[in-house]
Amino acid sequence: MFLLPDGIPVNKKNILEYLARLIIEGKIKADESLPNEIALSEHFGVSRTMIRDILKTLESKGFIARKTNIGTRVMSIHSWNLLDEEVLEWSCGALTQSRFLLSLLELRLIIEPQAASLAALRANDDHLQELHNYYQLMADSVEKQDLDNDCMDTEADIEFHRTIMKASGNLFISQFGGTIRAALYHTIYRSNRATENTQHSLEAHKSVLESIENRNSEQAYLRMANVLSNTIRDLGLQTTGIILLDQ
């Protein structure tokens, strides 16, 4: 069994994250069994109540399965709640390999161009104003670039994309935009850091905004697909099998 690294306080949050990372990094492999509550309690020097709460959280996120008289079994990545914000944060070091990032970007390619197309038909004045505000924050950050700020405003970029999903008028897509905030952060942040031409990226976002504002749904679809294609290129990835309208 592993111990918390030196200097890390022994508390519920840190034990939870530590066990999750061991599973994510494959140090505790799928189908392995975890020690029981008593053993874990003694190992970490904490109460059984705390361990029970930690295991419940790991189970809710799909990392483990618990059955009476059988024990606690570690689950494979296919059972994890990959869009959970904490799971994405814990996965940052281990799962930001090309397969993981590409899966996130493929998901965005499936959803966001269509969301932009719907937004062009359904966005109201408040949505359009929000998009303008977030675009302006991105533009301001590009204009003020210096050695300490060499990329576009990530938070504004995230909210720009989430607002488009909200403006789609589809309840499920709108809720999805909130759910995948962490996923947006991981891909947008890395893309903004990787891009060599932030002005080009800014212009691509502007073209999405203008297409939505002009109520041109097909163009909005194409422009959003272009933004995401640029992201994939900036990260040095390639997608195959995603069918998009001709760009």
Side-chain angles (χ1 to χ4, degrees):
M1 192 62 183
F2 301 89
L3 292 172
L4 284 173
D6 291 340
I8 301 297
V10 179
N11 56 40
K12 179 180 175 180
K13 177 179 179 296
N14 290 337
I15 295 173
L16 171 63
E17 180 175 347
Y18 181 63
L19 289 174
R21 286 184 182 274
L22 290 179
I23 295 170
I24 290 166
E25 294 169 7
K27 293 176 181 176
I28 303 177
K29 300 185 183 302
D31 290 326
E32 284 189 17
S33 294
L34 286 183
N36 61 32
E37 291 178 6
I38 295 174
L40 287 171
S41 173
E42 293 176 349
H43 178 77
F44 288 108
V46 297
S47 69
R48 284 186 64 184
T49 300
M50 181 185 292
I51 292 297
R52 190 175 298 117
D53 288 344
I54 289 169
L55 293 178
K56 283 181 180 178
T57 301
L58 289 174
E59 186 174 29
S60 72
K61 296 179 186 298
F63 284 113
I64 61 174
R66 307 170 73 202
K67 291 186 178 180
T68 305
N69 300 324
I70 295 178
T72 301
R73 183 169 63 93
V74 174
M75 305 300 288
S76 73
I77 189 173
H78 301 291
S79 297
W80 305 350
N81 185 358
L82 292 173
L83 294 178
D84 181 272
E85 186 168 0
E86 281 189 311
V87 174
L88 280 167
E89 289 298 329
W90 297 334
S91 303
C92 183
L95 292 183
T96 50
Q97 301 167 13
S98 58
R99 177 192 172 202
F100 189 66
L101 277 177
L102 185 56
S103 292
L104 285 175
L105 286 162
E106 285 177 342
L107 181 63
R108 293 183 62 194
L109 272 172
I110 291 166
I111 292 172
E112 290 189 61
Q114 189 63 63
S117 179
L118 290 172
L121 300 174
R122 301 173 178 174
N124 58 36
D125 290 343
D126 289 339
H127 295 141
L128 294 176
Q129 186 59 56
E130 283 185 60
L131 288 173
H132 272 283
N133 292 343
Y134 291 127
Y135 171 77
Q136 191 58 54
L137 288 172
M138 288 189 283
D140 291 345
S141 68
V142 170
E143 184 177 347
K144 296 176 182 176
Q145 281 181 3
D146 53 39
L147 292 177
D148 296 321
N149 176 32
D150 58 356
C151 67
M152 202 153 59
D153 186 327
T154 297
E155 289 297 326
D157 199 347
I158 290 169
E159 293 306 321
F160 181 88
H161 287 267
R162 289 182 64 194
T163 300
I164 288 173
M165 284 185 263
K166 181 171 64 174
S168 73
N170 182 286
L171 296 176
F172 291 95
I173 292 176
S174 178
Q175 188 174 71
F176 186 76
T179 302
I180 67 166
R181 190 185 191 288
L184 289 172
Y185 177 83
H186 281 278
T187 53
I188 289 173
Y189 176 80
R190 282 166 176 76
S191 174
N192 285 347
R193 291 289 175 182
T195 185
E196 296 180 357
N197 190 337
T198 52
Q199 187 62 47
H200 179 265
S201 178
L202 180 66
E203 290 171 0
H205 283 76
K206 184 178 181 180
S207 69
V208 173
L209 171 58
E210 290 175 343
S211 298
I212 292 173
E213 196 169 39
N214 293 331
R215 304 299 180 182
N216 190 326
S217 60
E218 184 173 334
Q219 189 177 72
Y221 178 102
L222 295 172
R223 296 296 183 259
M224 180 58 80
N226 181 59
V227 167
L228 295 173
S229 296
N230 290 342
T231 297
I232 291 167
R233 182 202 63 219
D234 291 338
L235 292 172
L237 302 173
Q238 289 184 331
T239 59
T240 57
I242 300 293
I243 299 173
L244 297 168
L245 297 174
D246 292 336
Q247 295 184 50

